[in-house]
Every structure is written in structure tokens, then in C-alpha cells.
Amino acid sequence: MLYALISDIHANLPALEAVLGEIASRDGIAATYHLGDLVGYAPWPDEVVRLLREKGIPGVAGNYDSTVATDYKHCGCRYEDARQEELSHLSFDWTRAKVSAETKAFLGTLPFRIDLRPSGGHVGGPVVILLHGNQTLNTVYVTEDRSDDFLTKMGEALGTRPGDVVCFGHTHIAWHRVVGGVDFVNTASVGRPKDGDPRAGYALVDVTKTGIHVEFVRVPYDVESAARGILRSTLPDEFAEFLRTGGGQPSRA
Ligand SMILES: [Fe+2]
């Protein structure tokens, strides 16, 4: 069973359209799911949510989704200096003011976690767990430098067994590691990459009889049209440069 997993779209409609087009051009993908953070940082939050709903793509709540939906005081993002903190608040306030009531209500309905059973559920078999952050909060960053012990505890808290797969986003950087027989997969970011590569990123996870296969895909898209959209909006201009450089400046979302 081959799944396309798209995360951290962050209101970047050109990136989402390119990724969905690339997914549609492939054979054999059984289903596409999103892993949250549909909004924030770019000027198309309503359009991104509408497109995902039109395509019938289910998914989980990212921190940006749940904090916008509940009028929380900030987006639950981490920042490393005063300017990042300021930008984070500007983006959050802009998004809260901009999203339609329908979008906001929809974001509030997203589940925290989705379990997939590619073998059907009537027999044992691998479980594919979809999250945004970790098992407790969608604001926790599960970065590649997390220890085996951290991931073992995460797997235990999620009720995993060897052969299962835990997929999440939030850090905007792809990685994949097997700990205790469980695959941990960070699917990267469609609309706000942070690894220095401006192309949109997503993951293909294939659950087969012989094991789990993970492929990270990069999709070129019209970054300049996304950048122009940001510059035309009242969002901070820095967000355009962030997309052009693939997160050249260290930041968190
Ligand atoms: Fe994010």
C-alpha cells in the first residue's frame, strides 16, 4: 500500500498545486494524507484548505491549525531570536485575521492522530500512524537528532509494535530512522522547506509484504509566484526570501 504524505503546506498554494500534480502523475498511490500545518506564512490559507477539501485529502491538525482554530495566544512555534518571535506573531495575527469562518471551523475539526491499517484491521499487521508533532502535543519538534531512547518512548506511548510506521512533520526537514523495528519518518514540508532546497518536499511510504520503503520526493514549483504573492500581501517580506532560499535563515514553525 503506497501512501503519499504531505505536511506543512503553510498556505503556499503554488507549492501544493505542484505537489498534487506530481502525485497525480504517478501510478500506484493508494491514498494521499496531509500531516497538518495547512496555514501560516503565506497568503493562501483559504485556498489551500479548499483545495484539500475538494480533493478529499484527509489529515491531522498541525499546531498552526489548532491554534488558529481555537484563538490561542500564539502559534505554538519555536523561535530563536527577537526578530523571529516578531515575525512569528505577525504571521499568526495575519492568518487569524485572514482565514474565513469556514476555514477556521474546518481546522478545528482535524483529528490529532490518524491510524492506517494497510492490511485491513481484521488481522494483525503494520499500523501507519500519522501525527504532526509527537504523541502528546503537535508543538513538539521530533528532529533527527532525537535519541533512540526518545523515539523508543514515543513508539511505546503510541502503542507501536515492530513493523509499524510513525509519520510526522513540523520540523520541515526530512529524515527516516528505524528504532526497535519501528520506522520513524519525518515527511518534510511542502510549502516552507528549511533544508536550503526551495523545492517542495513530501514523502512516499510503501507498506509491502517485504517491509517498509520510504522515498523523499522534491518537486520544483513556481517559487517566484509564491514569493510575489507574499510581497503583494501585508505579510512580512522576509517570508518571500525564506521560500527563495529554502529556509536559508534558521527559523522554526
Ligand atoms: Fe509547520
Side-chain angles (χ1 to χ4, degrees):
M1 186 79 82
L2 178 59
Y3 300 106
L5 302 178
I6 61 176
S7 191
D8 295 274
I9 300 159
H10 283 298
N12 186 338
L13 185 66
L16 176 62
E17 288 174 335
V19 164
L20 294 182
E22 205 273 351
I23 289 170
S25 74
R26 289 174 177 265
D27 290 330
I29 293 179
T32 301
Y33 291 87
H34 74 75
L35 272 58
D37 270 9
L38 308 183
V39 302
Y41 301 103
W44 300 283
D46 288 337
E47 292 84 349
V48 160
V49 166
R50 192 176 310 128
L51 181 56
L52 291 170
R53 296 181 74 183
E54 276 171 16
K55 300 278 185 191
I57 295 172
V60 298
N63 54 297
Y64 230 105
D65 312 314
S66 57
T67 54
V68 166
T70 58
D71 289 320
Y72 195 59
K73 54 189 181 242
H74 55 66
C75 63
C77 314
R78 188 168 66 193
Y79 25 77
E80 285 153 14
D81 56 43
R83 180 58 182 156
Q84 275 189 26
E85 181 174 359
E86 186 182 2
L87 289 171
S88 171
H89 288 304
L90 286 169
S91 169
F92 188 62
D93 292 345
W94 189 98
T95 301
R96 280 189 54 209
K98 165 87 175 173
V99 292
S100 69
E102 185 183 351
T103 293
K104 188 176 167 187
F106 174 78
L107 294 175
T109 68
L110 293 171
F112 181 82
R113 160 182 176 171
I114 292 176
D115 285 11
L116 307 173
R117 296 278 191 127
S119 302
H122 53 284
V123 291
V127 182
V128 180
I129 299 167
L130 309 181
L131 299 164
H132 184 71
N134 81 344
Q135 72 281 358
T136 309
L137 294 170
N138 56 21
T139 53
V140 175
Y141 292 88
V142 183
T143 47
E144 188 167 13
D145 60 1
R146 292 289 194 180
S147 66
D148 283 3
D149 189 45
F150 179 97
L151 295 176
T152 298
K153 287 182 176 142
M154 183 174 168
E156 284 171 0
L158 289 164
T160 58
R161 299 193 305 179
D164 291 345
V165 190
V166 183
C167 304
F168 44 91
H170 191 40
T171 74
H172 300 207
I173 295 177
W175 60 269
H176 172 211
R177 191 154 106 234
V178 182
V179 177
V182 177
D183 285 68
F184 292 85
V185 183
N186 191 313
T187 68
S189 171
V190 168
R192 193 171 155 85
K194 292 184 177 176
D195 60 358
D197 181 344
R199 294 176 298 170
Y202 78 97
L204 292 169
V205 174
D206 198 6
V207 181
T208 74
K209 285 193 168 55
T210 57
I212 309 298
H213 304 281
V214 177
E215 180 185 348
F216 295 115
V217 183
R218 298 309 284 257
V219 182
Y221 76 98
D222 192 347
V223 176
E224 273 313 302
S225 102
R228 279 196 304 275
I230 290 167
L231 296 174
R232 271 198 309 268
S233 77
T234 50
L235 282 163
D237 290 355
E238 282 100 324
F239 296 160
E241 197 55 23
F242 195 96
L243 295 188
R244 289 180 176 133
T245 58
Q249 298 297 314
S251 178
R252 304 287 176 200

